[in-house]
């Protein structure tokens, strides 16, 4: 008899790109594995990574995470890694083909939203297929958010 799966999955976020929703229209989300060395994993577990300026690209039949900063581990000595090296993303071939088509034909961008550890302890990257926002789109989003906040305040004070 198989063992039942646990009800709550524990996910630990190592790095987030909070500005992505402000700068892009996020359309479709993907989960990708990432190829890391030992010292990179230790730095990620310490929560030292930043992915604010990073992006993903598809070259040939492989996907790569570019410009993600995972700083050197403090006790890594000569086995340390290069902080901004390109890191290979692990996706299915069909997903890579879909991403390549969207980036090449439709002018979309692959934006990493977060790097996290799943319930099995594996490092994963959440990617989004995104379309860039213009300045007027950003202003409109801020205006809508402010109006929703004001409306909630008025309804709360009235009732």
């Amino acid at each position: 008899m198989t063992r039942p799966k646990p009800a709550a999955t524990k996910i630990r976020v190592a790095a987030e790109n909070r500005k992505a929703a402000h700068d892009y229209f996020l359309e479709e989300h993907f989960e990708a594995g990432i190829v890391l060395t030992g010292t990179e994993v230790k730095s990620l577990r310490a929560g030292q990574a930043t992915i604010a300026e990073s992006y993903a690209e598809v070259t040939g039949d492989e996907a790569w995470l570019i410009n993600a900063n995972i700083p050197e581990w403090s006790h890594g000595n000569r086995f340390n890694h290069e902080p901004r090296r390109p890191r290979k993303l692990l996706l299915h071939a069909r997903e890579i083909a879909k991403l390549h088509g969207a980036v090449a034909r439709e002018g979309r961008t692959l934006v990493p939203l977060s790097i996290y550890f799943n319930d099995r302890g594996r490092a994963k990257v959440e990617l989004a297929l995104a379309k860039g926002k213009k300045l007027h789109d950003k202003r409109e989003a801020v205006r809508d958010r402010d109006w929703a906040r004001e409306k909630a305040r008025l309804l709360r004070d009235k009732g």
Side-chain angles (χ1 to χ4, degrees):
M1 184 167 183
T2 60
R3 204 178 293 171
K5 296 211 181 224
T9 58
K10 187 176 179 184
I11 295 177
R12 255 195 64 233
V13 176
E16 269 188 308
N17 188 355
R18 294 185 180 153
K19 207 170 177 190
H22 178 71
D23 292 337
Y24 299 98
F25 293 112
L26 304 177
E27 295 172 351
E28 195 171 350
H29 295 259
F30 296 91
E31 180 184 64
I34 183 168
V35 177
L36 298 171
T37 63
T39 55
E40 288 174 326
V41 174
K42 290 176 186 246
S43 288
L44 275 178
R45 287 196 191 279
Q48 298 176 350
T50 55
I51 56 170
E53 313 95 31
S54 64
Y55 62 97
E57 70 177 19
V58 178
T59 52
D61 56 351
E62 295 178 335
W64 296 88
L65 182 63
I66 308 295
N67 209 22
N69 185 23
I70 302 175
E72 291 184 345
W73 190 49
S74 59
H75 306 308
N77 61 38
R78 68 173 191 248
F79 299 111
N80 252 330
H81 60 276
E82 186 181 325
R84 289 194 180 265
R85 74 175 183 89
R87 292 165 179 92
K88 188 174 180 179
L89 297 176
L90 305 172
L91 291 158
H92 291 283
R94 185 174 289 155
E95 289 176 327
I96 291 174
K98 182 177 185 175
L99 294 175
H100 182 67
V103 169
R105 283 191 297 275
E106 302 168 18
R108 302 288 190 252
T109 305
L110 277 173
V111 180
L113 301 178
S114 65
I115 297 177
Y116 61 93
F117 290 97
N118 66 3
D119 54 344
R120 293 181 58 196
R122 307 272 191 229
K124 300 288 183 179
V125 177
E126 182 182 7
L127 294 172
L129 204 52
K131 181 180 177 185
K133 283 186 180 179
K134 305 277 192 248
L135 185 59
H136 60 87
D137 294 328
K138 293 178 188 179
R139 285 190 196 128
E140 186 176 330
V142 169
R143 193 177 318 122
D144 291 343
R145 187 173 58 238
D146 289 345
W147 169 240
R149 189 179 302 127
E150 180 73 18
K151 186 168 57 172
R153 188 183 63 78
L154 289 171
L155 290 174
R156 186 181 64 231
D157 292 344
K158 187 177 183 180

